[in-house]
Amino acid sequence: MEELDLHGFFHSDVELEVKNFLFLNFDKLPVRIITGRSSKMNEIVTNILQKNGYYYDVPAHNPGEIIVLY
């Protein structure tokens, strides 16, 4: 599974990184986005996914990652 690890990214750079990652890996879905423990980072990523019509899951065992399903 392809993976984007957002550790070390500024919040202001996340939207472009996530959109580029999803564009480049659309044919490889599902993919994993690692947000870490930052609730703000998680909120930014989920807002991007919702705004762009993606379906995703946040595993109960690891709320610091998001699996983009389709």
Side-chain angles (χ1 to χ4, degrees), residues 45-54 56:
V45 173
T46 56
N47 284 340
I48 293 166
L49 296 173
Q50 290 171 1
K51 195 167 41 171
N52 290 281
Y54 285 95
Y56 62 91

Side-chain angles (χ1 to χ4, degrees), residues 4 14-25 48 51-52 54:
L4 172 63
V14 170
E15 184 168 5
L16 182 59
E17 288 295 326
V18 169
K19 285 183 175 181
N20 283 338
F21 174 73
L22 292 171
F23 177 77
L24 293 172
N25 293 289
I48 293 166
K51 195 167 41 171
N52 290 281
Y54 285 95

Side-chain angles (χ1 to χ4, degrees), residues 13-41:
D13 297 333
V14 170
E15 184 168 5
L16 182 59
E17 288 295 326
V18 169
K19 285 183 175 181
N20 283 338
F21 174 73
L22 292 171
F23 177 77
L24 293 172
N25 293 289
F26 186 78
D27 60 334
K28 299 175 185 171
L29 293 176
V31 296
R32 177 180 291 118
I33 299 176
I34 305 210
T35 60
R37 295 182 182 177
S38 169
S39 59
K40 180 66 176 172
M41 187 70 78

Side-chain angles (χ1 to χ4, degrees), residues 2-3 8-12 16-17 27-30 32 35 42-43 45 47 49-50 53 55 57-58 60 68:
E2 296 295 319
E3 181 175 289
F9 282 87
F10 292 108
H11 291 156
S12 59
L16 182 59
E17 288 295 326
D27 60 334
K28 299 175 185 171
L29 293 176
R32 177 180 291 118
T35 60
N42 194 293
E43 178 185 339
V45 173
N47 284 340
L49 296 173
Q50 290 171 1
Y55 292 90
D57 181 49
V58 178
V68 182

